[in-house]
Amino acid sequence: MAASESSDAASDASAVEDRKRTPNEMAALKGLLQYLRDEEFQMEVAHWAFQHCNKFPRTMDPEDWEHPLELTTLHKEYRELFESRAEAFMTDTGFSKDKILAETKELFEEEREFGEPRGLFDAITASEDYLAFCRYMQMIRTRRDWAEGKTGYGYDD
């Protein structure tokens, strides 16, 4: 990790620690986090990712390849899965749609129990960060290729 990334991560962590959430905000965020943990929703996200993962190069770092408009459009669709879920939940909260997913990601980072699967965390992070989305989709593609018997690491259509 580069020094600047390390200092950015440290400042992000301190910003999370310094932010004081009201009890109502905490209740809303925890409620949304539980709503996002719903198995049916997680299956919807997994199915969507499985359908689109072959559009991503499997082995290249996302910072090293050109990103066609189709991939940014897919990221927008992916983010809309989470936004729609958040909108369905947040009727009575004071959060804006844009803020609630980022806040939920931070709360998940703070409260993730040891041994809890990273799937939801990775999925939420991917909805908030385009390059994380690309890496997430590459990971899904690797899993899909393995399941389909395409295990050669040079395989990339």
Side-chain angles (χ1 to χ4, degrees):
M1 181 183 296
S4 65
E5 290 176 14
S6 178
S7 66
D8 289 346
S11 66
D12 288 347
S14 67
V16 169
E17 291 172 12
D18 292 343
R19 181 183 307 110
K20 301 293 183 208
R21 295 182 183 100
T22 68
N24 287 344
E25 289 174 333
M26 286 301 293
L29 289 172
K30 286 182 179 188
L32 178 58
L33 191 54
Q34 283 306 113
Y35 204 61
L36 293 173
R37 285 180 170 138
D38 176 69
E39 185 176 342
E40 187 176 310
F41 176 66
Q42 288 188 32
M43 291 301 295
E44 177 185 352
V45 170
H47 179 71
W48 185 95
F50 194 79
Q51 286 182 307
H52 298 287
C53 66
N54 282 337
K55 296 174 178 141
F56 293 79
R58 183 159 63 130
T59 57
M60 292 179 67
D61 186 313
E63 294 182 18
D64 294 339
W65 41 274
E66 187 152 338
H67 296 261
L69 180 59
E70 179 183 20
L71 300 186
T72 57
T73 301
L74 285 174
H75 181 245
K76 181 179 179 195
E77 286 178 24
Y78 182 82
R79 182 176 168 83
E80 287 172 359
L81 290 172
F82 288 88
E83 288 178 351
S84 295
R85 188 75 173 174
E87 285 175 6
F89 176 81
M90 62 180 245
T91 306
D92 294 326
T93 67
F95 284 106
S96 71
K97 175 176 68 172
D98 294 332
K99 184 178 178 184
I100 197 163
L101 289 175
E103 290 281 332
T104 303
K105 174 184 165 269
E106 289 175 5
L107 179 66
F108 188 81
E109 288 173 329
E110 294 168 12
E111 297 201 345
R112 191 167 85 88
E113 294 178 18
F114 178 74
E116 182 177 8
R118 288 191 52 96
L120 178 60
F121 175 75
D122 291 341
I124 292 173
T125 301
S127 77
E128 290 296 302
D129 178 310
Y130 175 73
L131 291 177
F133 167 73
C134 292
R135 289 182 183 99
Y136 175 76
M137 293 300 286
Q138 288 177 301
M139 177 185 65
I140 300 299
R141 179 172 181 182
T142 298
R143 291 176 180 175
R144 180 179 177 165
D145 287 350
W146 176 84
E148 293 176 349
K150 300 175 185 172
T151 56
Y153 286 96
Y155 180 81
D156 236 346
D157 323 320

